[in-house]
Amino acid sequence: MAEACCGAEPAADGGAGVADDHGDGRLWQVRELQMAAVAAVALAAGWLLDRAGVAAPVVVGVELLAAVVGASTFVPGAVRGLRHGRVGVGTLMTIAAIGAVALGQVAEAALLGILFSIAEGLEHHAVTRTRRSLRALLGLVPATASVLRDGRELQVPPDDLVVGDTMVLRPGERAATDGAVRAGRTSLDLSAITGESVPVEAGPGDTVHAGAINGGGAIELRVTAPASDSSLARIVHIVEEARERRGAGQRLADRIARPLVPSILVLAVLVAGLGGLLGDPLLWLERALVVLVAASPCALAISVPLSVVAAIGASSRHGALVKGGAALEELGRVRVVAVDKTGTLTRNTPRVVDVVGLAAVGRDEVLAAAASLEARSEHPLAGAVLSAAEDGNVTYRAAREVTAVPGHGLHGVVDGAAVRLGRPGWVDAGPLADDVERLQGDGATVVLLERAGALLGAIAVRDELRPEAAEAVTRLGDLGIEVAMLTGDNRRTAEALAARAGIGTVHAELLPEDKAALLARIARGRRIAMVGDGVNDAPALATADVGIAMGAMGTDVAIETADVALMGQDLRHLPQLLAHARRSRAIMLQNIGLSLVIIGVLIPLAALGVLGLATVVVVHELAEVLVIGNAVRAARTRALPGLGTGSGDQPVGSSVVGGRPVGSR
């Protein structure tokens, strides 16, 4: 139960909620359920002895044994809570059980203990199961790793690997920690982490994450992180931390449950005191005990936390890190999604598709001058320009005094001359205006090159649309979610790509701060999520109601700063995540509503004597079981056609290896 509700001390109670978390988690091993079973057998034995005409003291003794065994699961925790000044549902149940025994209703007290123990045991089992499914990710790390040391190949535990070691990964083996390919080529499957379905090729320089399965030839990796700090370990750590963060719904349940417990005690005292003045004091004392049980808010207190734990665990198994209940709830309320273009809607593999020079300037001269500047740049377009120069055997030297102007381009000094490379408008297109318009109409990003104040030429770079982008946008539309594209690219290029993706709202030629300022206007009072790379789009990710980092596997900044991190590169995970969050939020609200209705109905019926203790106990604990069962539904994700998903505790999917998420210049 929630600590505020029941006043339990998990670290010390020795209950299943702790012990079972380290075992195999089978239902019959849960301590509360074991005690409930023993108490139920004792209660049944007492009933049979009574039917057989055995002396009343013997029957009462057996029923009292059942009551003691059943109450052993919550009375010690309630007493410890009282010593620390905490009054919870366990306290209410303890008072009710003792009072029932004092009034001679021993069988009812035993029934209360049995059903309350069953409800607690089921809750502990449900929480343990979702935690175990998350920790199963760590089970993807092999028990040993092959490492080359002093010219010999050794088998060592993953914890013994150090940064710089050379790790050998044979076909079919899993990587024990993160590394970079030093020698060999292969195909890799990271389905356990990112939830995608297509293996990817990896060669020298590419990143391999912990848990990756080698599907091709043997490769050698240079270890880049100890096993304790691998991408896989970070995922588990972050999601376990996220479970502790409380969402608005959880805070609502807490706000109701905390004052409700002492209020129930006051109500019970009033029922006993005022009723005793009007009638039989023992009768009204019995009704007061029934009110204690009827009004216990245990189902309310566990309704949201259990749903959050289940939903976050399910998301993590499909490649989405959700940073706690608040982020999960906000995801469930999202009605608008703003998507960055470069690296999110596109493949993140830009390439040069055309080079245009003025009459007296050759293609190689334009490429050489551009490559000189881009050699000092971190921007994704730099890689495309440098690759084109190398493929064309173009000779260049790195520029000096290179400075990036965010949202515009670069300037520096090449062979003593000032050179500028950037977007049209920052560099005047002049006689190349028609060429620029033509290339932009074909969906290419165009940069212009200027040397010593004179235009040299233009370079067209195109990053192709992801093949699943249009399908993802359609699925978002099916959820009733509006999609808008934000980009720093020119309008013609942006609109051409948006049309192919099925996006009708396009905002182009934006600086990073422009994207953040634009979100409120796009949202128009609705909840909005921003999907970007977690680095270049940081202002917009921070401004949106929910910031979602795309392709964040192994990117510390994205994982740490975003509300949600999609570990893979398949855009179809976005509608899947939003649908899952919406369903999980509905489950939370259902549980809160059901809990409040049960309490509201049972209290007057109990106070008026319409329902006795046994009936109220059964109804109350049945409601708690229903809430637990409904919360566990949040652990299930619905598979989308064509997307690698799994069931149970086994994570599935695939990953992107190497590269990094990017944003538009």
Side-chain angles (χ1 to χ4, degrees):
M1 303 293 169
E3 206 171 317
C5 170
C6 296
E9 293 178 291
D13 66 6
V18 173
D20 191 39
D21 203 27
H22 300 284
D24 60 11
R26 295 196 176 132
L27 195 62
W28 60 269
Q29 291 183 315
V30 180
R31 177 178 173 272
E32 286 86 349
L33 298 181
Q34 292 174 341
M35 293 297 100
V38 172
V41 170
L43 183 60
W47 180 79
L48 291 174
L49 291 175
D50 184 46
R51 297 279 293 180
V54 176
V58 176
V59 174
V60 172
V62 174
E63 290 176 343
L64 187 59
L65 174 64
V68 170
V69 172
S72 67
T73 64
F74 59 88
V75 171
V79 173
R80 285 194 296 272
L82 283 174
R83 285 207 307 265
H84 291 87
R86 291 197 300 267
V87 178
V89 173
T91 310
L92 303 185
M93 292 300 182
T94 299
I95 295 172
I98 293 173
V101 171
L103 293 174
Q105 298 185 20
V106 182
E108 285 80 357
L111 182 62
L112 183 152
I114 291 168
L115 292 178
F116 188 62
S117 295
I118 289 174
E120 276 205 319
L122 290 176
E123 182 209 342
H124 284 158
H125 177 67
V127 172
T128 297
R129 185 177 176 185
T130 56
R131 286 178 178 173
R132 193 174 67 251
S133 68
L134 175 60
R135 291 178 180 173
L137 285 172
L138 289 179
L140 298 174
V141 176
T144 61
S146 299
V147 62
L148 297 177
R149 289 177 180 168
D150 300 325
R152 293 187 304 151
E153 184 174 330
L154 305 174
Q155 296 292 318
V156 300
D159 289 341
D160 289 349
L161 293 170
V162 297
V163 175
D165 269 344
T166 297
M167 184 168 58
V168 179
L169 197 63
R170 293 182 173 82
E173 293 182 343
R174 290 185 184 270
T177 188
D178 297 344
V181 178
R182 174 175 282 172
R185 301 195 68 86
T186 187
S187 61
L188 293 169
D189 172 18
L190 275 93
S191 57
I193 303 169
T194 65
E196 294 172 19
S197 56
V198 181
V200 295
E201 299 298 317
D206 285 333
T207 300
V208 177
H209 299 293
I213 301 175
N214 183 7
I219 56 175
E220 293 183 5
L221 307 175
R222 181 180 62 82
V223 173
T224 57
S228 60
D229 194 36
S230 70
S231 53
L232 199 60
R234 289 201 311 272
I235 291 172
V236 175
H237 175 68
I238 289 170
V239 177
E240 287 192 327
E241 276 190 340
R243 288 201 317 258
E244 306 304 322
R245 303 184 186 184
R246 302 188 171 202
Q250 186 167 345
R251 290 192 294 269
L252 172 62
D254 287 347
R255 285 200 302 269
I256 297 172
R258 284 181 185 276
L260 193 56
V261 172
S263 299
I264 291 166
L265 287 173
V266 173
L267 176 63
V269 170
L270 290 175
V271 169
L274 295 178
L277 296 176
L278 301 175
D280 182 1
L282 288 179
L283 173 64
W284 285 98
L285 179 60
E286 179 182 337
R287 290 184 180 179
L289 293 175
V290 178
V291 168
L292 277 181
V293 177
S296 297
C298 224
L300 176 64
I302 69 171
S303 59
V304 177
L306 186 54
S307 301
V308 168
V309 169
I312 289 176
S315 297
S316 71
R317 295 198 303 274
H318 295 284
L321 297 187
V322 181
K323 300 291 191 70
L328 184 70
E329 282 201 59
E330 287 299 301
L331 276 174
R333 301 169 68 186
V334 165
R335 292 297 179 270
V336 185
V337 171
V339 186
D340 174 49
K341 179 181 77 71
T342 307
T344 304
L345 285 171
T346 60
R347 290 176 179 269
N348 191 20
T349 54
R351 61 187 181 86
V352 173
V353 295
D354 201 354
V355 178
V356 180
L358 292 180
V361 182
R363 179 182 187 276
D364 288 355
E365 186 178 351
V366 175
L367 267 180
S372 297
L373 281 177
E374 296 287 25
R376 300 299 191 192
S377 173
E378 292 288 330
H379 194 274
L381 294 186
V385 172
L386 293 174
S387 294
E390 291 169 5
D391 292 343
N393 296 316
V394 175
T395 302
Y396 63 90
R397 290 188 300 174
R400 295 181 295 105
E401 303 176 24
V402 175
T403 302
V405 180
H408 296 292
L410 302 168
H411 62 79
V413 177
V414 179
D415 294 329
V419 178
R420 285 203 306 163
L421 176 72
R423 62 194 291 180
W426 191 61
V427 177
D428 186 10
L432 295 180
D434 291 341
D435 292 291
V436 169
E437 187 172 351
R438 171 180 58 82
L439 293 168
Q440 290 176 344
D442 291 337
T445 298
V446 180
V447 290
L448 295 166
L449 188 69
E450 182 184 79
R451 182 171 60 196
L455 185 67
L456 283 184
I459 299 176
V461 179
R462 188 161 55 214
D463 190 3
E464 298 297 338
L465 186 72
R466 293 185 186 277
E468 78 281 1
E471 182 183 351
V473 171
T474 299
R475 288 177 175 175
L476 288 171
D478 292 341
L479 293 174
I481 295 174
E482 179 184 331
V483 182
M485 186 175 80
L486 308 184
T487 180
D489 215 337
N490 70 87
R491 177 161 296 279
R492 286 180 61 86
T493 299
E495 289 179 346
L497 187 137
R500 299 208 305 272
I503 299 175
T505 303
V506 180
H507 298 273
E509 301 176 6
L510 302 174
L511 298 175
E513 56 270 26
D514 296 333
K515 295 181 182 180
L518 194 60
L519 291 178
R521 182 152 61 89
I522 297 173
R524 300 195 303 277
R526 299 167 292 176
R527 287 296 192 277
I528 185 169
M530 175 67 196
V531 186
D533 61 21
V535 181
N536 294 339
D537 296 307
L541 288 170
T543 303
D545 295 301
V546 185
I548 303 175
M550 176 76 181
M553 185 63 193
T555 307
D556 291 338
V557 174
I559 293 176
E560 295 292 345
T561 59
D563 300 305
V564 180
L566 295 179
M567 308 312 293
Q569 299 277 13
D570 194 323
L571 266 176
R572 291 174 295 179
H573 285 294
L574 181 59
Q576 183 184 41
L577 172 65
L578 291 169
H580 175 61
R582 187 175 293 184
R583 179 170 172 267
S584 299
R585 182 172 180 270
I587 289 172
M588 296 178 202
L589 296 178
Q590 291 166 8
N591 282 343
I592 291 176
L594 176 62
S595 303
L596 292 176
V597 167
I598 293 295
I599 291 173
V601 171
L602 287 184
I603 287 178
L605 295 179
L608 296 174
V610 176
L611 299 179
L613 181 60
T615 304
V616 168
V617 166
V618 171
V619 173
H620 183 274
E621 301 309 326
L622 179 60
E624 193 170 340
V625 171
L626 287 175
V627 164
I628 292 170
N630 195 38
V632 170
R633 289 174 52 229
R636 303 191 186 100
T637 54
R638 296 175 180 174
L640 293 177
L643 198 58
T645 55
S647 59
D649 295 337
Q650 179 59 39
V652 290
S654 175
S655 176
V656 169
V657 179
R660 55 187 172 86
V662 296
S664 57
R665 174 171 284 166

